[in-house]
Amino acid sequence: MGFPMAHNLLNRYGPSKIVVNDVASEATERFLAEHPGKVVIAKSPAEVAEHSDAIVTMLPTPPLVRGVYLGKNGIAEGMRKGAILIDSSTIDPATSRALADALQPKGATVVDAPVSGGTMGAVNGTLTFMVGGDDEAVFERVKPILQGMGKNIVYCGKHGSGQVAKICNNMLLGITMIGASEAMNLGARLGMDPKLLAGILNTSTGRCWSTDTCNPYPGVMEGVPASRNYDGGFGVSLIAKDLGLAVAAANEAKSTVILGGIAHQIYNQLSTTPGYEKKDFSSVFKWLNDNGKRF
Amino acid sequence: MGFPMAHNLLNRYGPSKIVVNDVASEATERFLAEHPGKVVIAKSPAEVAEHSDAIVTMLPTPPLVRGVYLGKNGIAEGMRKGAILIDSSTIDPATSRALADALQPKGATVVDAPVSGGTMGAVNGTLTFMVGGDDEAVFERVKPILQGMGKNIVYCGKHGSGQVAKICNNMLLGITMIGASEAMNLGARLGMDPKLLAGILNTSTGRCWSTDTCNPYPGVMEGVPASRNYDGGFGVSLIAKDLGLAVAAANEAKSTVILGGIAHQIYNQLSTTPGYEKKDFSSVFKWLNDNGKRF
Amino acid sequence: MGFPMAHNLLNRYGPSKIVVNDVASEATERFLAEHPGKVVIAKSPAEVAEHSDAIVTMLPTPPLVRGVYLGKNGIAEGMRKGAILIDSSTIDPATSRALADALQPKGATVVDAPVSGGTMGAVNGTLTFMVGGDDEAVFERVKPILQGMGKNIVYCGKHGSGQVAKICNNMLLGITMIGASEAMNLGARLGMDPKLLAGILNTSTGRCWSTDTCNPYPGVMEGVPASRNYDGGFGVSLIAKDLGLAVAAANEAKSTVILGGIAHQIYNQLSTTPGYEKKDFSSVFKWLNDNGKRF
Amino acid sequence: MGFPMAHNLLNRYGPSKIVVNDVASEATERFLAEHPGKVVIAKSPAEVAEHSDAIVTMLPTPPLVRGVYLGKNGIAEGMRKGAILIDSSTIDPATSRALADALQPKGATVVDAPVSGGTMGAVNGTLTFMVGGDDEAVFERVKPILQGMGKNIVYCGKHGSGQVAKICNNMLLGITMIGASEAMNLGARLGMDPKLLAGILNTSTGRCWSTDTCNPYPGVMEGVPASRNYDGGFGVSLIAKDLGLAVAAANEAKSTVILGGIAHQIYNQLSTTPGYEKKDFSSVFKWLNDNGKRF
């Protein structure tokens, strides 16, 4: 994700220079080659921080986020006074809040800004950013930077609220996709034409993104993963990860998530089923209905 | 439902007379009083059939449908040659098909045409009719009659397909409402403003009718059951009934409905929980989150 | 099932003759060949009834039970005064009660007596019979007949109670087997020795038939389906059928069965998954944990 | 739990002295008063460690366990060479392993030894200890100490295995109790005598601890929580906590726990339902069947 985001940021937000750091050095070197004179490769997050007024991070897990910000050679060690720190990782709200608690007293402005829209959104610069931070004033300050990489930039409330919005949305998304798959599968097995059924659902109360924008029945819509053998799209492991964050947060908040809990288990199961690991999460349709024909 | 439907049919489709029959005689008498000179009360379904070229039925259960059509003093006994028989009851697809198999060889044209839109849709004449029958030609013949009572008239395929469309839609609806309730509840417990959260869901991939048209969180939308103590709307017993039909049909078709099966149990549980019996199905939000304060 | 049951009945209960009827005529002919002079083949259930004081039926579905008893050439047509009618089919309690309501007024004594113990129990004469009927006196009259085919003969209450006991037991069985599979799988993946884990469960509060008598983890116990590639035992389609009866009865009784409903869907899913159709229901362990290696 | 465990340890294992520490100082003072001349109150875990060759800890959460062992004034600071450290807390296996990794290189022998048996088991000295540690030799060394407080002392394998055994058992226990409740409720609603049904289940394949030892139907068994308004026993919050640990461990291990996940949500829901917070977990029966009559 980071590569196309940095590319768009450079072109659209237009900073004079961008300082990059990644454990995958071929990514940073390729980025340097593509943008000569505009890119500096830093040896560590701390070195990025020494040279930057605003930093965007995109990391896969909470411990890595903690490490990059607060660990050895981390951002905190090199941080400038008044730096803006934007973490776009999808992590648990508690870690986002802990980051702000640790770094704002030292003069930084911290926001959590997880994204939705996937790899294609990153490439096309059409990501949605869900932003949690102190107040609307902070939001207005980070917005132009995020507009360099995305299209919808939404203020969600205090620190961690970006994460909350993201996991609530994706939990519901995971549920509706299984529900849509069950409904489409049931209708087709009962003899209905799938396109006709999709048309009816989309103009009725069963309507949802999972029926009208990313229908899981192969051939019902063009250009969606279901119509290209479930390739591309939003991987089963990614939705499983987000549902894991949602269920864990729900448990701490004593908030019952019965369908969320089952959806989590189902995507977990898919993510360990051979052939499904790299597929779009709408492949849950095929899992319900594969009649033994795996990928 | 039958009363307002007959009222609209008379006014909008404009037959010279309408012959009515109901076990609740006060309903037919009140209807007669409201439409003097236009209404004939029949003593039985057979007597309705003797005087009618087209008949619309609206009944609560499959056995009652069978009885009214095929039982003693039923429609079959008095049926005119070429009669159009429209059953708007929500029942299992198999019974709809059985009705057609029994009556079409005797010269009738049978369609199943279950509705969505509830009591308000019946009153306002804005119901959706999902129609199953022989072909498009039959559909075109029944369409003007149904337009007398509804707004969207959709052809769904062969006999029983109207029922299939209805139960698939309502199964998905039942699932999305629980999912929306879990997501709204989780977000609010994690500190997000519910209106803000609803706004984000409604422009993101979690979007569904249950978030953008009938949001279950009290106060997020005006004019929805959630904002009037869950009164009115689509009762928990009705969605429980539809989910029961969906799950039964799925079991016969060997079509797995994991979330559908759980949603069914949850609405069943609500329909026997004191205070919830008459409430809108979005009250599942309160059930998840009542902190002990029942209705 | 019927063949070994008839065999044991003849040998152990010791009637002078036995009159048999089956749609599979090779079964009745083989039975005649094995027991010369003791067996009469009847052409219909009615003909069986004409020649018998007591009748045992074993059929797969409620409509077949209705047909054999109440249909054309059915038992009711040839029934002797005072005949004892024992239906060992596993069907819904309502059909069992309907049978009694139809036939007892005509002088028969009807009991429902579904079995557990499977094909092996039928062969070895160790079946359990769960008996529903008028009272203990009736139970004492049918008991000697059932002892000809089984070991534990249990009185369960009024008509239909045999079915109720059967479906309640098998619903719980279906749940504990999935639970045992999840627990054994989890422990093993977390590094515990499966035999050690089974030993601990079996002496702790997680103990159940599915851990101590038919453990689903391959190799933990000898002589169980899990240790012979899940062959033999109690097929996934059979438990799926019983769970279907349980869930349907629960829905009519407004009795919530959340885990029962999911277990039903899971076994349904297995029964349509290639390779699993003929396997023991403990193969749900493999389904949870097959790492892509199907049967 | 700690108080009666220490009491039994003193009486049965028979050390000359016991050094105690608790944040609740009235507990340690009462213990001192009850055992004059045998008890020393320490000001911190470190001080306990300075005076002890073997230490038993019993704490509610992973962070507290970490703090008591590795934090400021923790056991590690005062630890004697060759000390035996027994943690009886129920926590996640990963924390148990981390403790061993941190302290064994410094010369301690660490085991995780979570218990089952509840407060009554602690008082009566009949607890079961599930022990994880280096090998059988270590197990034999800690066994006499644990026999001072319990009855069944079981070796489960390497560090963390005690926790694994505990959470696998309790996950299955949580599932069987809901299953038993659904089955007993269903049978009773279908008209069966609950005692008769329990008797049949207990001699059939549905048999489990939750039917034959702690049946959730009120009045079926004497001396169980169900027969005293669900007071005493194993609280809903405790089983919810254990299921939370199980589901979290399953997610990390990519081990699907569909029924475990739902059971977790159900007990979470109970633990926030007024009246249920302090009740035995078999009160899930009442939750399924309360007909609106809450505690």
Side-chain angles (χ1 to χ4, degrees):
Chain A
M1 295 285 284
F3 193 93
M5 286 169 70
H7 177 89
N8 286 325
L9 187 62
L10 197 50
N11 289 349
R12 289 171 24 176
Y13 181 58
S16 57
K17 294 227 172 187
I18 193 165
V19 187
V20 297
N21 173 256
D22 196 329
V23 287
S25 61
E26 75 276 12
T28 49
E29 272 155 31
R30 184 157 62 90
F31 192 64
L32 174 64
E34 287 190 14
H35 302 280
K38 294 264 187 176
V39 174
V40 177
I41 299 180
K43 290 203 200 74
S44 68
E47 201 182 306
V48 172
E50 283 162 26
H51 300 285
S52 306
D53 294 319
I55 302 174
V56 181
T57 51
M58 182 56 123
L59 296 152
T61 68
L64 283 170
V65 171
R66 275 183 187 272
V68 162
Y69 278 90
L70 306 176
K72 194 167 148 59
N73 296 320
I75 287 170
E77 289 185 6
M79 199 169 73
R80 290 186 179 185
K81 192 100 199 159
I84 294 177
L85 308 179
I86 302 171
D87 180 38
S88 287
S89 318
T90 294
I91 55 171
D92 58 301
T95 297
S96 293
R97 282 191 290 265
L99 224 57
D101 290 347
L103 298 172
Q104 296 215 149
K106 295 181 181 165
T109 296
V110 180
V111 299
D112 49 296
V115 304
S116 77
T119 315
M120 289 313 294
V123 169
N124 299 330
T126 56
L127 294 168
T128 293
F129 284 88
M130 289 163 265
V131 182
D134 275 334
D135 49 36
E136 291 269 1
V138 163
F139 174 68
E140 291 303 327
R141 280 169 61 204
V142 302
K143 197 173 176 181
I145 301 173
L146 297 175
Q147 281 170 327
M149 302 174 286
K151 207 170 105 186
N152 298 308
I153 322 294
V154 194
Y155 181 57
C156 298
K158 296 285 176 194
H159 290 108
S161 295
Q163 304 295 351
V164 172
K166 170 87 188 267
I167 62 179
C168 289
N169 182 74
N170 283 15
M171 183 180 78
L172 182 49
L173 170 63
I175 291 168
T176 63
M177 185 54 86
I178 300 174
S181 295
E182 293 184 359
M184 290 297 303
N185 189 27
L186 175 58
R189 290 203 183 202
L190 293 173
M192 268 201 82
D193 175 73
K195 284 193 186 183
L196 200 50
L197 177 56
I200 292 166
L201 295 177
N202 292 343
T203 54
S204 304
T205 50
R207 166 177 60 77
C208 55
W209 184 91
S210 299
T211 61
D212 69 18
T213 304
C214 190
N215 197 291
Y217 198 103
V220 160
M221 295 181 75
E222 284 185 32
V224 298
S227 294
R228 50 172 193 255
N229 202 28
Y230 300 103
D231 286 326
F234 186 36
V236 291
S237 299
L238 292 172
I239 189 114
K241 176 201 162 190
D242 291 356
L243 277 158
L245 291 169
V247 172
N251 294 340
E252 271 185 45
K254 299 265 182 197
S255 190
T256 306
V257 289
I258 295 180
L259 297 195
I262 299 163
H264 183 206
Q265 295 301 323
I266 290 175
Y267 291 114
N268 266 355
Q269 174 81 349
L270 258 75
S271 71
T272 59
T273 299
Y276 285 84
E277 307 95 328
K278 307 278 181 188
K279 296 290 184 177
D280 181 69
F281 77 124
S282 64
S283 62
V284 69
F285 175 85
K286 186 175 166 68
W287 182 75
L288 285 169
N289 185 34
D290 64 357
N291 287 319
K293 288 185 277 323
R294 286 201 172 160
F295 287 110
Chain B
M1 295 286 284
F3 192 93
M5 285 168 70
H7 177 88
N8 285 326
L9 186 63
L10 198 50
N11 289 350
R12 288 172 25 175
Y13 181 59
S16 56
K17 294 228 172 186
I18 194 164
V19 187
V20 298
N21 173 257
D22 196 329
V23 288
S25 62
E26 75 275 13
T28 50
E29 273 155 31
R30 184 156 63 89
F31 192 64
L32 175 63
E34 287 190 13
H35 302 279
K38 296 264 185 177
V39 175
V40 177
I41 298 180
K43 291 204 199 73
S44 68
E47 202 182 306
V48 172
E50 283 163 25
H51 300 285
S52 306
D53 295 317
I55 302 174
V56 181
T57 51
M58 182 55 124
L59 297 152
T61 68
L64 284 169
V65 171
R66 275 182 186 273
V68 162
Y69 278 89
L70 307 176
K72 194 167 148 61
N73 297 319
I75 286 169
E77 290 185 7
M79 199 169 73
R80 290 186 178 186
K81 193 98 197 160
I84 293 176
L85 308 178
I86 301 170
D87 180 37
S88 288
S89 319
T90 294
I91 56 173
D92 59 301
T95 297
S96 293
R97 282 190 291 265
L99 224 58
D101 290 347
L103 297 171
Q104 295 216 148
K106 296 182 180 166
T109 296
V110 180
V111 300
D112 49 296
V115 304
S116 75
T119 315
M120 288 313 293
V123 168
N124 298 331
T126 56
L127 292 169
T128 293
F129 284 89
M130 289 162 265
V131 182
D134 276 333
D135 49 35
E136 292 270 359
V138 163
F139 174 68
E140 291 304 328
R141 281 169 59 205
V142 303
K143 197 173 175 182
I145 302 173
L146 298 175
Q147 283 172 327
M149 302 174 286
K151 207 170 106 186
N152 297 307
I153 323 295
V154 193
Y155 180 57
C156 299
K158 297 283 175 197
H159 290 108
S161 296
Q163 304 297 350
V164 172
K166 171 85 186 268
I167 62 179
C168 289
N169 182 72
N170 282 15
M171 183 180 78
L172 182 50
L173 170 62
I175 291 167
T176 62
M177 186 54 87
I178 300 174
S181 296
E182 293 183 359
M184 290 297 302
N185 189 26
L186 175 57
R189 290 204 183 199
L190 292 174
M192 267 200 82
D193 175 73
K195 284 193 185 182
L196 199 51
L197 177 57
I200 291 167
L201 295 177
N202 292 343
T203 53
S204 305
T205 50
R207 165 178 62 78
C208 55
W209 185 92
S210 298
T211 60
D212 67 20
T213 305
C214 190
N215 197 291
Y217 199 103
V220 160
M221 295 180 76
E222 282 186 33
V224 298
S227 294
R228 49 172 192 257
N229 203 27
Y230 300 101
D231 285 327
F234 186 36
V236 291
S237 300
L238 293 172
I239 189 115
K241 176 200 162 192
D242 291 357
L243 276 159
L245 291 168
V247 172
N251 294 339
E252 272 185 44
K254 299 264 181 198
S255 190
T256 307
V257 289
I258 295 180
L259 297 194
I262 300 163
H264 183 206
Q265 295 302 322
I266 289 175
Y267 291 115
N268 266 355
Q269 174 81 347
L270 257 74
S271 72
T272 59
T273 299
Y276 285 84
E277 308 95 328
K278 307 278 182 188
K279 296 291 184 177
D280 180 68
F281 77 123
S282 63
S283 62
V284 69
F285 175 85
K286 186 176 165 68
W287 182 76
L288 286 169
N289 184 33
D290 65 357
N291 287 319
K293 289 184 270 340
R294 285 199 171 161
F295 287 109
Chain C
M1 295 286 286
F3 193 92
M5 286 169 69
H7 177 88
N8 285 327
L9 186 63
L10 197 51
N11 288 351
R12 288 172 23 177
Y13 181 59
S16 56
K17 294 225 173 192
I18 194 163
V19 187
V20 296
N21 173 257
D22 196 329
V23 287
S25 61
E26 73 277 11
T28 49
E29 272 154 33
R30 184 157 61 91
F31 192 64
L32 175 64
E34 287 190 13
H35 302 279
K38 295 265 187 175
V39 175
V40 178
I41 298 179
K43 290 202 201 74
S44 68
E47 202 182 304
V48 172
E50 283 163 25
H51 300 285
S52 306
D53 294 319
I55 301 175
V56 181
T57 51
M58 182 55 123
L59 296 152
T61 68
L64 284 170
V65 170
R66 275 184 187 272
V68 161
Y69 277 92
L70 306 176
K72 194 166 147 63
N73 296 320
I75 286 169
E77 290 186 6
M79 198 170 72
R80 291 186 177 185
K81 192 101 199 159
I84 293 177
L85 307 178
I86 301 170
D87 180 38
S88 289
S89 319
T90 294
I91 54 172
D92 59 301
T95 297
S96 293
R97 282 190 290 264
L99 223 59
D101 289 347
L103 296 172
Q104 295 217 150
K106 296 182 180 165
T109 297
V110 180
V111 299
D112 49 296
V115 303
S116 77
T119 315
M120 289 313 294
V123 169
N124 298 331
T126 55
L127 294 168
T128 293
F129 284 89
M130 289 163 266
V131 182
D134 275 334
D135 50 35
E136 291 269 359
V138 163
F139 174 68
E140 292 302 328
R141 280 169 60 206
V142 302
K143 197 174 176 180
I145 302 172
L146 297 175
Q147 282 171 327
M149 301 174 286
K151 207 169 106 186
N152 298 307
I153 322 294
V154 193
Y155 180 58
C156 298
K158 295 286 176 195
H159 290 108
S161 295
Q163 304 296 351
V164 172
K166 171 86 187 267
I167 62 179
C168 288
N169 181 73
N170 282 16
M171 183 180 78
L172 182 49
L173 170 62
I175 292 168
T176 62
M177 186 55 86
I178 301 174
S181 295
E182 292 184 359
M184 290 297 302
N185 189 26
L186 175 58
R189 290 204 182 202
L190 293 174
M192 266 201 82
D193 175 73
K195 284 194 185 182
L196 199 50
L197 177 57
I200 291 166
L201 296 177
N202 291 344
T203 53
S204 304
T205 50
R207 166 177 61 77
C208 56
W209 185 91
S210 298
T211 60
D212 68 19
T213 305
C214 189
N215 197 291
Y217 199 103
V220 159
M221 295 182 75
E222 283 185 32
V224 297
S227 295
R228 50 173 192 254
N229 202 28
Y230 300 102
D231 285 326
F234 186 36
V236 291
S237 300
L238 293 172
I239 190 114
K241 177 200 162 191
D242 291 356
L243 276 159
L245 292 168
V247 172
N251 294 340
E252 273 186 43
K254 298 265 182 197
S255 191
T256 307
V257 289
I258 296 179
L259 297 195
I262 300 163
H264 183 205
Q265 296 301 323
I266 289 175
Y267 290 115
N268 267 355
Q269 174 81 349
L270 258 75
S271 71
T272 59
T273 299
Y276 285 84
E277 308 95 327
K278 307 279 181 187
K279 296 292 184 176
D280 181 68
F281 77 123
S282 64
S283 61
V284 69
F285 175 85
K286 186 176 166 67
W287 182 76
L288 286 169
N289 184 35
D290 65 358
N291 286 319
K293 288 184 271 341
R294 285 201 170 160
F295 287 110
Chain D
M1 294 286 284
F3 192 93
M5 285 169 71
H7 176 89
N8 285 326
L9 186 65
L10 197 50
N11 288 350
R12 287 170 29 174
Y13 180 60
S16 56
K17 293 227 173 186
I18 194 165
V19 186
V20 297
N21 173 258
D22 196 330
V23 287
S25 62
E26 74 276 13
T28 49
E29 271 156 32
R30 183 157 62 90
F31 191 64
L32 174 65
E34 286 190 14
H35 302 279
K38 296 263 185 176
V39 175
V40 177
I41 299 179
K43 290 202 200 76
S44 68
E47 199 182 308
V48 172
E50 283 163 26
H51 300 286
S52 306
D53 295 318
I55 302 174
V56 181
T57 51
M58 182 57 123
L59 296 152
T61 68
L64 283 170
V65 171
R66 275 183 187 272
V68 161
Y69 278 90
L70 306 175
K72 195 167 147 61
N73 296 319
I75 286 169
E77 290 186 5
M79 199 170 73
R80 291 185 178 187
K81 191 99 198 160
I84 294 176
L85 308 179
I86 301 171
D87 180 37
S88 288
S89 318
T90 294
I91 55 172
D92 58 302
T95 298
S96 293
R97 282 190 291 265
L99 224 57
D101 289 346
L103 298 172
Q104 295 216 149
K106 294 181 181 167
T109 296
V110 180
V111 299
D112 49 296
V115 302
S116 76
T119 315
M120 288 313 294
V123 169
N124 298 331
T126 56
L127 293 168
T128 292
F129 284 89
M130 289 163 265
V131 182
D134 275 333
D135 49 36
E136 291 269 0
V138 162
F139 175 68
E140 291 303 328
R141 280 168 61 204
V142 302
K143 197 172 176 182
I145 301 172
L146 298 175
Q147 282 171 327
M149 303 174 285
K151 208 169 105 186
N152 297 307
I153 322 294
V154 193
Y155 180 58
C156 298
K158 296 285 174 195
H159 290 108
S161 296
Q163 304 296 350
V164 172
K166 170 86 187 269
I167 63 179
C168 288
N169 182 74
N170 282 17
M171 182 180 78
L172 182 49
L173 171 62
I175 291 168
T176 63
M177 185 54 86
I178 300 173
S181 295
E182 292 184 359
M184 290 297 303
N185 189 27
L186 175 58
R189 290 205 183 200
L190 292 174
M192 268 201 80
D193 175 73
K195 285 192 184 182
L196 199 51
L197 177 56
I200 291 167
L201 295 177
N202 292 343
T203 54
S204 304
T205 49
R207 164 177 62 76
C208 55
W209 184 90
S210 298
T211 61
D212 69 18
T213 304
C214 189
N215 197 291
Y217 199 102
V220 160
M221 295 181 75
E222 283 186 31
V224 297
S227 294
R228 50 173 192 255
N229 202 28
Y230 300 102
D231 285 327
F234 185 36
V236 292
S237 300
L238 293 172
I239 189 116
K241 177 201 162 191
D242 291 357
L243 277 158
L245 291 169
V247 173
N251 294 340
E252 272 186 45
K254 299 265 182 196
S255 189
T256 307
V257 289
I258 296 179
L259 297 195
I262 300 162
H264 183 206
Q265 295 301 323
I266 290 175
Y267 291 114
N268 266 355
Q269 174 82 348
L270 257 76
S271 71
T272 58
T273 299
Y276 284 84
E277 307 95 327
K278 307 278 182 188
K279 297 291 185 176
D280 181 68
F281 77 123
S282 63
S283 61
V284 70
F285 175 85
K286 186 176 167 68
W287 182 76
L288 286 168
N289 184 35
D290 66 357
N291 287 318
K293 289 185 268 342
R294 286 202 171 157
F295 287 110

